[in-house]
Amino acid sequence: MIRSFSSQEILFCFALESEAADVFDGHNVLFTGIGKVQAAYALTKALATQRPKLIINLGTVGSTHFPKGTVVHCTQFVQRDMDVRGLGFKLYETPLSGLPVVLEYGESFAGLPHAVCGTGDSFEMEHAESLYTVVDMEAYALAYIAQQEKIPFLCLKYISDGADDNAATDWTEQVHKAAEAYGKLLLV
């Protein structure tokens, strides 16, 4: 699928430059910053001046389900910090939006395990939820915008840590390996 687009027709979205390193130099890259709000703002602003034929979100995630160093693809996303149960809504349901708890959007990537991405504005260090198998801080917002704009979306995530009490140390040691893994996988 990726090979059917030129490098300038693809918008590679990373939260941080360290997740891309210099592997993606010369490509159409957007660094969104950390969190759903920054990601949504950065992608919306980018789409105001360009219309990519494919948005690819690459980055690091924590997981208790997959081992460190694994690359997964995500086509299902949950807002893990949305909790309005006090008003009678389901956990993770966005009130009055008509959106399902699990947003389903995106392209599959053959040969990679599938993961459900729980996006929230916190660095998860005690992951125990079973609805989602990886945790990040941007993918839900990016997938939602791509879906609303009807732009194909591919989300690949590199497992950098176990979303546990070692997560901060593990992430720091693993983040540079993400770009190398993506470069090999996508032949950039």
Side-chain angles (χ1 to χ4, degrees), residues 51-128:
R51 190 70 179 182
K53 299 219 187 266
L54 175 65
I55 296 170
I56 300 180
N57 174 222
L58 304 170
T60 53
V61 293
S63 179
T64 57
H65 188 80
F66 299 101
K68 284 185 280 190
T70 304
V71 177
V72 299
H73 73 96
C74 303
T75 59
Q76 296 174 301
F77 306 89
V78 175
Q79 283 201 81
R80 64 179 165 86
D81 52 7
M82 183 62 70
D83 187 353
V84 193
R85 289 178 289 179
L87 295 177
F89 296 93
K90 296 177 192 168
L91 181 60
Y92 312 126
E93 179 181 4
T94 302
L96 311 173
S97 68
L99 293 171
V101 168
V102 178
L103 174 69
E104 295 193 30
Y105 190 70
E107 306 294 326
S108 296
F109 197 96
L112 295 181
H114 178 263
V116 178
C117 186
T119 299
D121 286 328
S122 63
F123 187 79
E124 185 124 2
M125 296 177 66
E126 297 178 5
H127 181 240

Side-chain angles (χ1 to χ4, degrees), residues 24-50:
F24 288 83
D25 287 354
H27 293 275
N28 190 15
V29 176
L30 174 67
F31 298 109
T32 66
I34 297 172
K36 291 186 295 184
V37 172
Q38 287 193 69
Y41 175 74
L43 181 56
T44 300
K45 189 174 178 182
L47 293 180
T49 59
Q50 64 177 300

